[in-house]
Amino acid sequence: MEALRRCMKVRYSPQARSDLHDIFHYLNQRSPSGAENVMRAIYAGIEFLAENPMASQETGLPEIRVKIVRRYNFKIFYRIDRDAIDLVHVRHGARRPFAESK
């Protein structure tokens, strides 16, 4: 019998929502099909996190982990709560390092 996976709830911070909007808007102006591919990959990464929250690497920031969407080099920063994944920030890996603001 296949083991049941518990899928955690995903909560988006205002910053993460803004990041996803900006990423789509920027890419969609250049290539609508490319934007769809990138967004599909990012959302697949988020779904992976909901099913496997501990599978991504820790960062130097307390409680913050990062999932790298390797094909497009996007990083999904998040923290794990008791019953949810809190998405903090989504950014391209070529940008300067992320430092969470308090």
Side-chain angles (χ1 to χ4, degrees):
M1 175 151 70
E2 185 177 322
L4 296 175
R5 282 192 190 181
R6 179 172 167 245
C7 191
M8 296 183 80
K9 179 179 178 179
V10 176
R11 296 185 295 223
Y12 294 78
S13 71
Q15 179 66 54
R17 285 187 193 281
S18 177
D19 294 337
L20 291 168
H21 174 271
D22 292 348
I23 291 165
F24 177 76
H25 182 72
Y26 177 83
L27 295 173
N28 194 51
Q29 289 179 332
R30 286 147 183 82
S31 170
S33 64
E36 285 183 34
N37 292 336
V38 170
M39 297 308 291
R40 192 175 301 119
I42 290 172
Y43 282 108
I46 292 168
E47 184 176 325
F48 174 84
L49 292 176
E51 295 174 358
N52 307 283
M54 298 299 289
S56 295
Q57 64 191 30
E58 295 178 338
T59 68
L61 301 170
E63 301 178 13
I64 301 292
R65 300 179 79 84
V66 63
K67 163 75 176 144
I68 301 172
V69 180
R70 297 209 184 276
R71 181 171 184 181
Y72 299 107
N73 196 26
F74 276 90
K75 295 181 177 183
I76 304 167
F77 293 90
Y78 68 101
R79 64 173 52 91
I80 303 169
D81 197 3
R82 279 189 26 221
D83 61 347
I85 299 295
D86 293 326
L87 296 185
V88 177
H89 195 29
V90 182
R91 63 190 292 125
H92 194 270
R95 293 179 59 194
R96 64 181 167 73
F98 168 58
E100 185 179 31
S101 59
K102 296 288 178 186

